[in-house]
Amino acid sequence: MISQLRGTVVALNLNSVVLDVNGVGYLVNAVPRTLGELTVGEEATLPTSLVVREDSMTLFGFSTVRDRDVFEIITTVSGIGPKLGLAILAVHSADELAAAVQSEDTKALTRVSGVGPKSASRIILELKGKLTLSADVPAEQSPAPETEADALARAAEAQVVEGLTGLGWTEKEAKKVLAATLKAQPELAGASVPELLRATLRGVGAGTGIRS
């Protein structure tokens, strides 16, 4: 079992990262929230879960050990495979999921693509008592869940930052000019990576975001 990887980030995609660990590149599937914390060329440590099937071995990576543990609990639910389990954590943090299960909030769970009312009820039934909130997040004050659209937008912005750094910008400069572009053109929120990158570069040429 591979329960953790530490290495250099060599590539970031919309739903995965490649970590170079002592010369071996590991493809690790992850949620946008985790990918947004990584930077190409920098070292990263990811708690991981290895899913072994008859014809494949797939790695899933997480920001924290708690997230990994929750993923492994989710995938014990009948009908919930690793891809759907990861999709659930892309929309809900570990604490948001625990709060939804505790309050039997099927509506929150059906925000996840692929989870219908029946699946949501089954998740609540099978996970009841297995998930707990962090000590510093009371159930009545648990944060509002991130929508799938929000998660995809965060991933697109991370890809644009990666594209700009590939053009020679520092990460700080890239984030600054992207933020300036989104502020000047709020309609770009949720735009595709190519659209957002083109608009950002046009903004630089027009003086919207000036490198410093």
Side-chain angles (χ1 to χ4, degrees):
M1 174 66 72
I2 300 175
S3 61
Q4 177 178 291
L5 286 175
R6 181 174 63 193
T8 302
V9 178
V10 295
L12 280 171
N13 305 304
L14 286 177
N15 56 9
S16 64
V17 56
V18 177
L19 279 183
D20 183 330
V21 182
N22 296 323
V24 179
Y26 290 86
L27 178 67
V28 184
N29 295 279
V31 300
R33 184 166 48 248
T34 298
L35 296 172
E37 298 170 356
L38 306 176
T39 302
V40 173
E42 293 189 0
E43 188 175 89
T45 299
L46 293 178
T48 58
S49 180
L50 177 63
V51 177
V52 179
R53 296 286 172 81
E54 185 175 330
D55 59 349
S56 66
M57 291 190 296
T58 308
L59 275 168
F60 296 86
F62 307 89
S63 298
T64 65
V65 171
R66 172 171 163 74
D67 285 344
R68 181 196 62 200
D69 292 347
V70 168
F71 168 80
E72 292 180 344
I73 292 172
I74 294 171
T75 52
T76 64
V77 176
S78 56
I80 305 298
K83 288 186 178 180
L84 186 53
L86 197 67
I88 292 171
L89 285 176
V91 176
H92 299 286
S93 69
D95 280 318
E96 291 163 1
L97 178 61
V101 170
Q102 286 183 12
S103 62
E104 300 186 4
D105 187 353
T106 57
K107 185 176 180 181
L109 295 175
T110 56
R111 292 192 182 100
V112 180
S113 177
V115 177
K118 288 184 178 179
S119 296
S121 296
R122 185 167 63 251
I123 290 170
I124 290 171
L125 177 64
E126 296 191 28
L127 296 187
K128 198 76 169 179
K130 294 183 179 179
L131 298 178
T132 57
L133 288 165
S134 298
D136 57 345
V137 183
E140 66 273 12
Q141 295 181 15
S142 57
E146 179 180 53
T147 66
E148 188 171 9
D150 290 338
L152 290 173
R154 282 162 53 89
E157 290 169 17
Q159 288 287 294
V160 170
V161 170
E162 179 188 350
L164 290 173
T165 56
L167 294 173
W169 299 66
T170 66
E171 183 181 0
K172 180 178 180 181
E173 291 171 338
K175 288 181 176 180
K176 179 180 178 181
V177 73
L178 175 59
T181 299
L182 290 171
K183 181 177 181 180
Q185 303 178 67
E187 68 276 9
L188 288 173
S192 67
V193 173
E195 290 174 331
L196 194 52
L197 183 57
R198 284 195 297 269
T200 301
L201 291 172
R202 284 198 300 268
V204 173
T208 299
I210 301 175
R211 298 174 64 175
S212 61

